[in-house]
Amino acid sequence: QVQLVESGGGLVQAGGSLRLTCAPSRGIFGTYNMAWFRRQAPGKEREFVGGITWNGVNTYYVDAVKGRFTISRDNAKSTVYLQMNSLKPEDTAVYYCAVDKRNLLIVTMPGKYDYWGQGTQVTVSS
């Protein structure tokens, strides 16, 4: 069972930046499409933030973060990054990374993803 670990969350002022990292808890697993989701309130559905194809060629972002967030990956380390700039209070959420083993188009539905991390809290103060 692949386990993913997110890190890099924290408290930042509006307009600031954070970089989240997602890596397997041990070793290196296969090269798959990956995505970042966020949950902005307990009990609320996880919201797709952005995704990246297995080869890093294609990315896709939700409109709310386009131009501010960037996803990249290092396949040698099975690691994916989420660079978040110009953060806003509404970006406050628990951020999760996820793996889609199908390696087809980037999908936004959380149910299509096979493995998840435990999440990392991002809090943006105004």
Side-chain angles (χ1 to χ4, degrees):
Q1 178 79 13
V2 172
Q3 289 186 314
L4 302 172
V5 179
E6 301 98 338
S7 61
L11 173 64
V12 64
Q13 288 189 328
S17 299
L18 284 174
R19 188 176 84 154
L20 306 184
T21 299
C22 171
S25 59
R26 59 178 183 274
I28 296 174
F29 62 94
T31 307
Y32 303 114
N33 287 6
M34 296 187 72
W36 288 93
F37 287 77
R38 65 187 180 187
R39 193 196 309 271
Q40 294 177 303
K44 195 174 178 181
E45 182 65 49
R46 292 178 186 180
E47 170 193 39
F48 176 84
V49 174
I52 186 167
T53 51
W54 64 273
N55 55 7
V57 171
N58 294 306
T59 55
Y60 176 74
Y61 303 93
V62 68
D63 285 347
V65 307
K66 279 181 183 176
R68 300 188 298 121
F69 290 11
T70 303
I71 297 175
S72 61
R73 66 188 301 155
D74 181 345
N75 284 345
K77 301 178 181 178
S78 288
T79 299
V80 173
Y81 306 96
L82 178 64
Q83 178 66 44
M84 304 186 294
N85 298 328
S86 302
L87 282 160
K88 304 175 181 180
E90 51 264 44
D91 294 318
T92 295
V94 178
Y95 284 73
Y96 302 87
C97 63
V99 168
D100 175 7
K101 293 176 63 178
R102 300 170 306 142
N103 278 358
L104 301 174
L105 298 177
I106 297 170
V107 294
T108 62
M109 297 81 75
K112 296 295 185 180
Y113 287 80
D114 302 283
Y115 304 118
W116 293 83
Q118 83 291 345
T120 186
Q121 176 71 46
V122 171
T123 303
V124 184
S125 63
S126 57

